[in-house]
């Protein structure tokens, strides 16, 4: 290094008049920054007395001997925060302090370890060259690749305690989840076993289902159950056989002497020498005989003997019946004794004809019937049709079968909701006559009708059925002025559409009743009045 002289660039005059290079020129033309307390500057050099080179010039920042050292030595340049040579820390050509390795890697921008030593705490006295260098506490010290490797502690997780907590929590959650799964599986299996047991055996222990307690057997007398309870002891089942025929029907008790009312077609198979067996609701049986029968009204009376305690059914008044009134039917359909059905009155004064198997008309019945939708089937014939108070208002006689007309017993297809009953007012009169005389009288007009007439109304025939006059001489019709060919269109103001309907309307009355007939003759309409006669024929 050359001694500085005046005029030399970068030279400054020292306190003793010598010049010091602030930036001595390096061999390669660069300048080296003079730093206070540098290890090279603190090494003593040989003076001129011992033949050595002249003493090195003091740095401009180094105070002269005997002078007070500044409180804060100022470097020539501001410190380089990035430690970039040649203005930062010593480069590879100068000794460097030992590298300090932080115990843990700091987060970005955070210093970890010993805090940096402030400038006022730095030693002011020169440090001997052979003295060990003080550890650098600057966290920003640059790594020295030429320094001896220091013992490096094994790497550790940043927060092992927190990680252990997380692991323990994770294990705990997994344990709880596994336990819950096991409990769910066990519960499901147990529930399935119990369910199968209940399904197969109805329970694990004894089976006892909830049930209502014992109630009083009595019912409202006006209810169906009440009506049936009162009427069933008075309803009987008839088994009839004779002449190679057999049948089953129903009847009901008329009085305490053993008279029972039923249909004529029920007892017809018995003939003159057949058998009739009556079975009561109690199960007791008795033999019966025919008292009287009438095919025109389809009614018959039989009697049992030797039976006590019979309870007759009360009779109502069929004239009081209205459409829609509730009714109860009792019978033995298809030999099922004691069957109870219910319904309403569907219509009144429904003209029907039944029978006619003989072909001569002697077995045809003409009924001005009550129509009901109470189920009536073969075997119900002769049974009672009761009103809402348990009184007889009709005798069940016919049904409309699905494959034919009204048939007392032949409609084997069963009930289709069209049942017909003889009004009890007519049945009472006929039953009284049969019990008294064994025969029933029929009200008559004394005319012969043309049953082939297809027009509206009932036309008087041109000839009589037995070769006599169509209008009986001295009969009610002759006295009223009826002539052959007249067409009767109304009875008591109600339309008549056929000969059968005129017969039905007539037989709905008693002999001696007065009728008003409306008839047409030669295009003119006239009204006649007559008193019905009596006949024991058909």
């Amino acid at each position: 290094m050359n001694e500085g002289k005046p005029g030399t660039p970068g030279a400054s005059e020292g306190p003793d008049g010598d010049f010091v290079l602030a930036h001595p020129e390096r061999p390669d033309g660069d300048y080296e920054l003079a730093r206070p307390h540098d290890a090279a500057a603190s090494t003593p050099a040989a003076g001129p007395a011992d033949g050595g080179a002249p003493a090195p010039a003091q740095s401009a920042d180094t105070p002269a001997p005997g002078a007070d050292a500044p409180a804060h030595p100022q470097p020539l340049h501001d410190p380089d925060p990035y430690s970039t040579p040649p203005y930062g820390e010593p480069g590879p050509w100068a000794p460097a302090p030992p590298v300090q390795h932080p115990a843990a890697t700091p987060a970005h921008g955070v210093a970890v370890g010993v805090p940096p030593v402030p400038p006022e705490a730095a030693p002011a006295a020169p440090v001997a060259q052979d003295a060990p260098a003080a550890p650098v506490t600057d966290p920003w010290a640059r790594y020295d690749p030429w320094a001896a490797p220091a013992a490096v502690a094994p790497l550790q997780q940043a927060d092992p305690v927190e990680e252990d907590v997380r692991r323990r929590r994770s294990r705990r959650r997994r344990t709880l989840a596994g336990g819950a799964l096991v409990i769910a599986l066990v519960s499901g299996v147990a529930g399935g076993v119990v369910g199968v047991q209940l399904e197969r055996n109805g329970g694990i222990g004894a089976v006892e289902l909830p049930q209502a307690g014992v109630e009083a057997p009595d019912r409202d007398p006006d209810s169906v159950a009440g009506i049936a309870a009162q009427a069933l002891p008075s309803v009987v089942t008839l088994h009839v056989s004779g002449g190679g025929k057999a049948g089953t029907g129903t009847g009901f008790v008329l009085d305490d002497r053993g008279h029972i009312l039923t249909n004529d077609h029920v007892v017809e198979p018995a003939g003159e020498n057949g058998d009739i067996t009556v079975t009561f609701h109690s199960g007791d049986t008795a033999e019966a005989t025919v008292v009287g029968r009438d095919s025109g009204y389809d009614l018959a009376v039989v009697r049992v003997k030797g039976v006590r305690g019979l309870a007759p059914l009360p009779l109502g008044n069929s004239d009081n019946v209205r459409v829609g009134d509730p009714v109860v039917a009792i019978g033995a359909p298809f030999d099922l004794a004691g069957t109870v059905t219910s319904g309403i009155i569907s219509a009144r004064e429904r003209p029907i004809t039944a029978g006619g198997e003989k072909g001569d008309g002697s077995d045809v019945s003409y009924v001005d019937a009550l129509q009901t939708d109470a189920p009536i089937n073969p075997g119900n014939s002769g049974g009672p049709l009761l009103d809402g108070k348990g009184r007889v208002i009709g005798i069940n006689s016919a049904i409309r079968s699905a494959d034919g007309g009204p048939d007392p017993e032949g409609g084997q297809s069963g009930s289709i909701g069209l049942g017909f009953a003889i009004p009890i007012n007519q049945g009472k009169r006929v039953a009284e006559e049969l019990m008294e005389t064994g025969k029933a009288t029929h009200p008559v007009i004394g005319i012969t009708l043309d049953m082939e007439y297809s027009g509206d109304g009932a036309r008087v025939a041109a000839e009589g059925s037995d070769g006599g006059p169509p209008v009986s001489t001295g009969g009610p019709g002759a006295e009223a002025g009826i002539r052959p060919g007249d067409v009767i269109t109304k009875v008591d103001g109600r339309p008549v559409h056929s000969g059968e309907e005129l017969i039905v309307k007539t037989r709905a009355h008693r002999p001696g009743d007065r009728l008003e007939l409306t008839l047409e003759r030669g295009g003119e309409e006239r009204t006649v009045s007559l008193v019905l006669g009596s006949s024991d024929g058909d």
Side-chain angles (χ1 to χ4, degrees):
M1 183 182 301
N2 295 325
E3 185 178 44
K5 296 183 180 180
T8 304
S12 59
E13 185 176 357
D16 54 357
D18 293 331
F19 292 90
V20 180
L21 286 175
H23 303 279
E25 184 175 0
R26 295 177 57 186
D28 54 0
D30 293 331
Y31 296 90
E32 181 181 358
L33 175 63
R35 299 184 60 188
H37 312 295
D38 190 280
S42 61
T43 303
D50 55 5
Q58 293 181 346
S59 170
D61 298 330
T62 304
D68 296 333
H72 300 283
Q74 299 293 328
L76 296 178
H77 297 280
D78 294 333
D80 183 7
Y82 302 101
S83 301
T84 304
Y87 302 103
E89 295 294 328
W93 53 83
V99 178
Q100 298 295 321
H101 297 278
T105 303
H108 181 70
V110 179
V112 178
V114 182
V117 179
E120 56 271 16
V127 180
Q129 183 175 3
D130 55 352
V136 179
T137 59
D138 185 3
W140 305 103
R142 186 161 56 93
Y143 170 72
D144 184 3
W146 289 273
V152 180
L155 297 178
Q156 296 182 353
Q157 293 180 344
D159 194 356
V161 176
E162 180 66 22
E163 182 64 23
D164 289 343
V165 172
R166 288 197 296 268
R167 286 184 178 180
R168 287 197 297 272
R169 291 179 178 175
S170 177
R171 286 196 298 271
R172 187 179 300 109
R173 286 193 293 268
R174 289 195 295 268
T175 302
L176 292 176
L181 180 58
V182 171
I183 292 174
L185 290 176
V186 172
S187 300
V189 173
V193 172
V194 174
V196 171
Q197 180 70 16
L198 293 175
E199 178 67 21
R200 291 180 177 177
N201 303 325
I204 298 177
V207 178
E208 185 175 355
L209 300 176
Q211 183 181 17
V214 178
E215 298 178 352
D218 297 336
R219 293 293 184 269
D220 186 350
D222 295 339
S223 65
V224 173
I227 293 172
Q230 296 175 10
L232 280 170
S234 301
V235 179
V236 300
T237 302
L238 286 78
H239 294 89
V240 182
S241 61
K245 298 180 181 179
T248 301
T250 307
F252 59 92
V253 178
L254 290 174
D255 56 25
D256 57 0
R257 295 181 297 170
H259 290 99
I260 296 171
L261 181 63
T262 185
N263 283 136
D264 176 69
H265 70 266
V266 171
V267 300
E268 188 270 334
E272 296 295 332
N273 301 315
D275 296 328
I276 301 176
T277 302
V278 176
T279 304
F280 295 88
H281 183 64
S282 62
D284 297 332
T285 61
E287 297 296 323
T289 58
V290 176
V291 174
R293 46 181 295 213
D294 187 278
S295 61
Y297 288 111
D298 194 19
L299 290 173
V301 174
V302 299
R303 185 180 182 184
V304 294
K305 295 181 180 180
V307 180
R308 298 180 180 179
L310 296 178
L313 276 180
L315 304 182
N317 190 333
S318 54
D319 290 342
N320 297 331
V321 175
R322 295 294 179 268
V323 174
D325 285 348
V327 292
V328 175
I330 301 178
F334 300 101
D335 204 14
L336 299 174
T339 298
V340 178
T341 58
S342 64
I344 62 170
I345 294 296
S346 303
R348 297 175 67 243
E349 300 178 355
R350 186 75 76 186
I352 64 169
T353 58
E357 286 80 6
K358 293 183 178 180
D360 58 358
S362 61
D363 61 339
V364 177
S365 59
Y366 299 90
V367 180
D368 198 20
L370 297 173
Q371 180 181 329
T372 179
D373 66 348
I376 296 175
N377 292 283
N380 275 102
S381 296
L385 185 67
L386 309 171
D387 63 8
K389 295 184 179 181
R391 301 171 300 191
V392 181
I393 58 173
I395 302 98
N396 301 318
S397 299
I399 62 173
R400 171 72 67 173
S401 61
D403 55 354
D407 190 348
E409 199 69 27
Q412 296 299 318
S413 61
S415 173
I416 59 173
L418 295 174
F420 303 94
I422 301 170
I424 193 60
N425 288 8
Q426 181 176 337
K428 177 179 177 293
R429 180 184 68 84
V430 173
E432 292 171 345
E433 291 181 352
L434 293 176
M435 293 168 64
E436 290 179 359
T437 64
K439 295 182 178 180
T441 60
H442 299 166
V444 295
I445 299 176
I447 58 175
T448 301
L449 297 176
D450 182 6
M451 305 305 291
E452 301 295 329
Y453 178 68
S454 60
D456 189 36
R459 185 173 68 178
V460 179
E463 296 180 359
S465 58
D466 56 356
V471 179
S472 299
T473 303
E479 294 181 0
I482 298 176
R483 299 178 183 179
D486 288 347
V487 178
I488 300 173
T489 58
K490 294 179 183 180
V491 175
D492 290 337
R494 296 181 181 179
V496 173
H497 304 289
S498 65
E500 290 85 355
E501 189 169 350
L502 177 60
I503 298 173
V504 169
K505 296 297 183 183
T506 302
R507 290 190 177 181
H509 293 81
R510 292 172 177 268
D513 290 346
R514 180 172 291 276
L515 294 181
E516 288 189 356
L517 302 178
T518 301
L519 53 87
E520 293 181 356
R521 181 188 301 165
E524 295 182 359
E525 186 177 273
R526 63 185 61 190
T527 301
V528 297
S529 180
L530 54 86
V531 176
L532 292 175
S534 176
S535 171
D536 56 2
D538 53 27

